[in-house]
Amino acid sequence: MDRKNSRLFSRRTFLKGAAAGTVGVLGAATLGLGALAEESGIYKPGTYSATATGMGEVTVTMTFDANSITDVVVSTDNETDGIGKPLGPDFAAKILEAQGAEIDVVSGASVTSGAVIAAAEACIASAKGETVEIAPVLAEETAEDDDWLGQPPETPEPDEIIDADVVIVGAGLSGVCAARAAAEEGAKVQLIEKSATFNCRSGEYAVLNGTLNDRWGRSGLVDTDVAVNRLMRECTYRNKRAILKKWADHAWEVIDWFIEAYPDLTICDSTREVVTQEQFDKGILVPLAWPQPEHYDYKDEEFPTFPSSMEFRSSRPNQQGFMVEANLNAAIGKGAEVHYGCFAEKLLQDDTGRVTGVIVRDAVNGKYLQFNAAKGVILATGDNGSNDKIMKHFTPEILEKNIMSAGKVGMMGMDVEGNPCNTGDGLRMGAWIGAKVQDFHAPMTHHMGGGMGITPFLQINKHGERFMNECIPGQQLENQIELQPEQTTFQIYDDKWPEQIPYMPANHGGLCYIIPEDEDESNPNFNDRQYTKVSAKAEAYTYKADTIDELLAQCGFEGEALETAKASIERYNELCKQGYDEDFGKPAGRMFPIENGPFYACVWNPTIMLVCVGGLESDENCHTFTGTAADPKRDLIPGLYVTGNVQGSRYAVEYPICFRGISHSLCVFYGYTAGKNAAQGI
């Protein structure tokens, strides 16, 4: 059997933000304090083990000398047969080669991958003499009952009262932008964060028209009403058009404001423009999928990806951290004060119902603080993807299908007590004072495919059946995978794939550019998931065989399923030659017969959930409103504003991906809006 590891997506976009020793939600074991590392080396020589929870228990055992990892054993015996279970030796080899836990997530085995990485990080930390606890997943949030809200906590009299104009809870992307915007209005700003630092990840942004798109020659390519209407359709019209329209018309102005905070930014004119290492270390901005692929026009697509996105890139683990840090420093320069390690516990109101402040527990010194807000409190507390009770109540299918939350592996930041940040704090604080929680939350579960991305090659399920038009984006693809037997599918393609890639759509996660083999890879801006050398994908598969029969046997097909799979491929080849997919309606220009060996297969399972977007109902001014699902009064709550992933009504049902990076873009835009409006009393 010829089996290779293929990637779901890069380590950079999955786990690089998680620090060693803070992955405490993957299992239930405790590592004791190892002896202090010798002064002459990095590690205390010896063998260390750690166990974390994937689909079952995963154990990593690592042996160290003073300066290196000398042996790794990974036990995945409790994982799923044919998926995570056989990958133990592969994981061990990769950790040994990497000399650390910085390894890629395996397509179709993201839960197992996360557990292995967590346990490996724990072993490394222990070998360095650090105390590492791999704690249970927020036990207080995983009870079987459906009381996701509970009662507001009883808090003691505050040890200190701090007066401000604007109080912001959460120093993620939106909270930082709110702090800067409010401070620039002259407001006295207090920013509260339960982590030890600000939080951010990735770096993609959507923006229509404006200064940057003028520079790139993209202004006017996308009509704003067409774009907004598309966003409404993808969310089944359960979101608010006014929120999206205001963003579409004015986001470019706020993005210009955002980048003003960082004069060292290098702006590139194409996606993979050559830059120096110094420029990349400081941070660059690139237009995505630009120039557009020769054979792609979004206007011809049933599921368009609008040519209007960009990405901040750098050598930092949090990728766009240099931009967020610059904006935070700009806020501090205008007088904003930041309080790390502080947990907001409940909102305060006066007799009229106006929100006047927030009670905060300072975990660093054990004090309780009362922050008074003369003009307003802004909730920027993120989503609720790591709170099982909230997820069970609003999106039970995520838990029922065992879809992993990125927050539970530290991707959304960890608080100073070692727990994930995205636990729905703002959602509950708002609901406790009567704020209406959005109906129909939107899990962000866009699939990024395997080694070949979500490129629309043939897909069959474990029964051997073709089941869809493969030419759909990652969110819709995930929906289809979840409907298949054992939630497992196989992406099938042949050796002609390099000739076919240039005709594929420029969707998020899809390959659509082939680059020359002699292109210089020393450019720090070389990598982009949509571009590839043919040689770079030589091992980007799960199975490879010289014949279809051998390939299907490797995939585990036998008996009736094997015959069905062979018939499905034969039928697909007939439709390709016919030039019309009468079975599923796939565009003829992306129908390529599977005839030329060797043949390849990538195994897919459900992806990871990045966040679950569905906060407190809001409007285009970041206000929120009273009510419950049964009694939706929707009276404005004065003095309370929402931004970021606790701001509801932006998305619903599912996350729209006709724009790459719309989440970050809306966070910046409405962080700015919330800060300005709170400071001005709008």
Side-chain angles (χ1 to χ4, degrees):
M1 180 172 70
D2 192 350
R3 180 181 176 88
K4 301 289 182 182
N5 287 345
S6 58
R7 302 178 193 177
L8 177 62
F9 38 74
S10 74
R11 168 82 170 168
R12 181 184 71 182
T13 56
F14 180 67
L15 275 178
K16 251 192 170 180
T22 60
V23 289
V25 293
L26 283 176
T30 300
L31 298 178
L33 178 65
L36 294 177
E38 296 176 347
E39 291 184 4
S40 60
I42 301 171
Y43 309 112
K44 173 66 177 178
T47 299
Y48 302 81
S49 292
T51 298
T53 300
M55 303 306 291
E57 282 196 343
V58 169
T59 300
V60 176
T61 302
M62 301 172 66
T63 302
F64 299 79
D65 62 20
N67 291 294
S68 65
I69 302 167
T70 60
D71 188 45
V72 181
V73 177
V74 178
S75 172
T76 51
D77 292 344
N78 297 317
E79 300 301 278
T80 306
D81 285 340
I83 301 176
K85 187 173 183 177
L87 294 178
D90 293 340
F91 281 124
K94 287 182 177 294
I95 292 169
L96 188 62
E97 180 182 3
Q99 285 293 294
E102 293 282 320
I103 63 172
D104 288 329
V105 176
V106 176
S107 173
S110 57
V111 174
T112 301
S113 301
V116 169
I117 291 167
E121 287 176 334
C123 288
I124 292 166
S126 190
K128 290 179 177 179
E130 300 170 0
T131 300
V132 181
E133 183 176 351
I134 305 181
V137 181
L138 295 176
E140 72 274 17
E141 303 297 350
T142 56
E144 294 182 0
D145 65 88
D146 195 35
D147 184 13
W148 66 271
L149 182 56
Q151 296 297 317
E154 294 292 333
T155 56
E157 287 296 314
D159 297 291
E160 184 179 355
I161 296 176
I162 300 171
D163 292 325
D165 294 320
V166 176
V167 176
I168 301 162
V169 184
L173 179 60
S174 60
V176 166
C177 289
R180 179 186 163 198
E184 288 178 349
E185 289 295 315
K188 184 178 180 181
V189 175
Q190 300 289 333
L191 178 59
I192 298 162
E193 171 55 49
K194 61 183 180 178
S195 296
T197 184
F198 64 89
N199 287 302
C200 68
R201 55 165 292 278
S202 185
E204 295 186 358
Y205 285 75
V207 60
L208 290 163
N209 303 318
T211 308
L212 289 167
N213 282 315
D214 286 345
R215 171 178 179 150
W216 293 324
R218 302 195 308 190
S219 287
L221 288 185
V222 181
D223 180 271
T224 55
D225 283 322
V226 169
V228 171
N229 290 342
R230 179 74 204 184
L231 291 168
M232 294 299 295
R233 285 199 300 276
E234 288 197 27
C235 294
T236 68
Y237 276 79
R238 294 186 183 275
N239 48 350
K240 291 186 179 179
R241 194 179 193 280
I243 293 176
L244 300 172
K245 175 65 171 172
K246 184 174 182 177
W247 164 81
D249 287 341
H250 299 289
W252 69 269
E253 302 164 36
V254 177
I255 293 297
D256 284 355
W257 168 85
F258 184 62
I259 66 176
E260 282 173 6
Y262 192 70
D264 289 338
L265 180 68
T266 295
I267 301 176
C268 299
D269 291 323
S270 61
T271 306
R272 299 171 61 256
E273 182 176 305
V274 176
V275 299
T276 66
Q277 188 64 52
E278 181 182 8
Q279 288 174 311
F280 193 71
D281 290 342
K282 288 183 176 179
I284 67 174
L285 175 64
V286 304
L288 287 173
W290 194 254
Q292 285 273 274
E294 178 184 357
H295 304 289
Y296 181 79
D297 184 344
Y298 84 87
K299 299 183 187 70
D300 298 331
E301 300 293 319
E302 180 181 2
F303 286 94
T305 298
F306 297 120
S308 56
S309 296
M310 62 186 196
E311 184 174 25
F312 293 103
R313 296 175 175 173
S314 75
S315 55
R316 292 174 60 138
N318 56 8
Q319 192 169 328
Q320 65 168 319
F322 66 94
M323 285 302 311
V324 182
E325 185 175 50
N327 278 270
L328 179 58
N329 289 338
I332 293 170
K334 288 291 184 178
E337 297 181 4
V338 188
H339 304 264
Y340 293 115
C342 287
F343 293 68
E345 295 202 347
K346 64 181 179 182
L347 297 168
L348 301 174
Q349 291 176 287
D350 63 19
D351 292 341
T352 70
R354 180 179 183 83
V355 173
T356 59
V358 61
I359 297 294
V360 171
R361 176 175 61 86
D362 185 339
V364 177
N365 57 33
K367 292 183 177 181
Y368 273 83
L369 311 174
Q370 178 174 318
F371 286 84
N372 292 331
K375 295 185 175 181
V377 172
I378 300 173
L379 295 178
T381 51
D383 79 298
N384 48 263
S386 292
N387 186 314
D388 283 354
K389 277 190 177 180
I390 297 178
M391 293 298 296
K392 180 181 178 182
H393 183 85
F394 290 101
T395 53
E397 69 277 7
I398 296 296
L399 299 181
E400 291 165 359
K401 295 174 181 177
N402 293 315
I403 294 174
M404 185 67 172
S405 165
K408 292 183 178 181
V409 290
M411 192 172 173
M412 301 302 140
M414 305 294 285
D415 67 34
V416 295
E417 296 178 335
N419 293 315
C421 283
N422 60 332
T423 51
D425 302 355
L427 194 77
R428 292 196 297 175
M429 285 192 293
W432 282 329
I433 66 165
K436 172 74 174 67
V437 178
Q438 172 189 323
D439 300 322
F440 303 100
H441 292 204
M444 189 186 292
T445 53
H446 52 80
H447 212 289
M448 299 298 286
M452 298 296 282
I454 63 166
T455 308
F457 298 119
L458 171 65
Q459 286 272 347
I460 59 176
N461 63 25
K462 292 201 78 170
H463 290 173
E465 303 160 332
R466 184 182 177 213
F467 55 90
M468 69 172 180
N469 166 9
E470 295 87 355
C471 194
I472 56 177
Q475 184 68 51
Q476 290 74 23
L477 175 63
E478 170 69 15
N479 299 343
Q480 287 292 294
I481 292 172
E482 291 177 15
L483 294 174
Q484 303 314 308
E486 299 181 42
Q487 298 185 117
T488 301
T489 71
F490 299 86
Q491 180 193 54
I492 310 289
Y493 55 99
D494 73 6
D495 207 43
K496 293 287 187 179
W497 68 265
E499 301 172 16
Q500 301 160 10
I501 290 296
Y503 294 90
M504 298 302 186
N507 285 340
H508 190 37
L511 286 173
C512 47
Y513 300 86
I514 296 290
I515 58 178
E517 288 294 314
D518 61 356
E519 185 166 329
D520 183 11
E521 297 185 24
S522 65
N523 171 23
N525 190 33
F526 177 82
N527 290 319
D528 185 284
R529 66 171 63 95
Q530 292 187 299
Y531 297 73
T532 188
K533 293 181 179 181
V534 174
S535 60
K537 295 299 179 182
E539 297 186 355
Y541 55 83
T542 314
Y543 301 106
K544 175 183 177 182
D546 291 328
T547 68
I548 289 292
D549 282 8
E550 292 172 341
L551 183 76
L552 294 176
Q554 288 182 21
C555 292
F557 289 103
E558 56 185 21
E560 183 178 348
L562 174 61
E563 295 306 313
T564 300
K566 291 167 64 176
S568 294
I569 294 173
E570 291 171 5
R571 172 62 174 167
Y572 183 73
N573 289 345
E574 291 173 5
L575 295 172
C576 291
K577 294 173 183 177
Q578 177 179 298
Y580 177 67
D581 182 10
E582 62 186 54
D583 292 351
F584 292 97
K586 183 176 179 178
R590 288 161 191 156
M591 295 281 290
F592 299 101
I594 299 169
E595 300 176 320
N596 303 280
F599 303 95
Y600 305 87
C602 294
V603 183
W604 291 2
N605 298 104
T607 189
I608 196 168
M609 182 187 73
L610 291 175
V611 292
C612 185
V613 235
L616 303 175
E617 280 196 6
S618 71
D619 64 10
E620 69 276 18
N621 287 311
C622 300
H623 299 142
T624 192
F625 309 92
T626 63
T628 64
D631 186 19
K633 293 182 182 298
R634 294 189 170 95
D635 293 328
L636 185 144
I637 301 175
L640 183 62
Y641 301 82
V642 287
T643 184
N645 285 335
V646 74
Q647 180 186 8
S649 309
R650 301 172 304 153
Y651 322 111
V653 183
E654 66 182 27
Y655 178 64
I657 54 173
C658 51
F659 284 103
R660 291 177 63 176
I662 189 172
S663 179
H664 285 142
S665 188
L666 280 168
C667 283
V668 167
F669 181 75
Y670 279 109
Y672 172 92
T673 301
K676 293 286 185 183
N677 286 356
Q680 296 175 8
I682 295 175

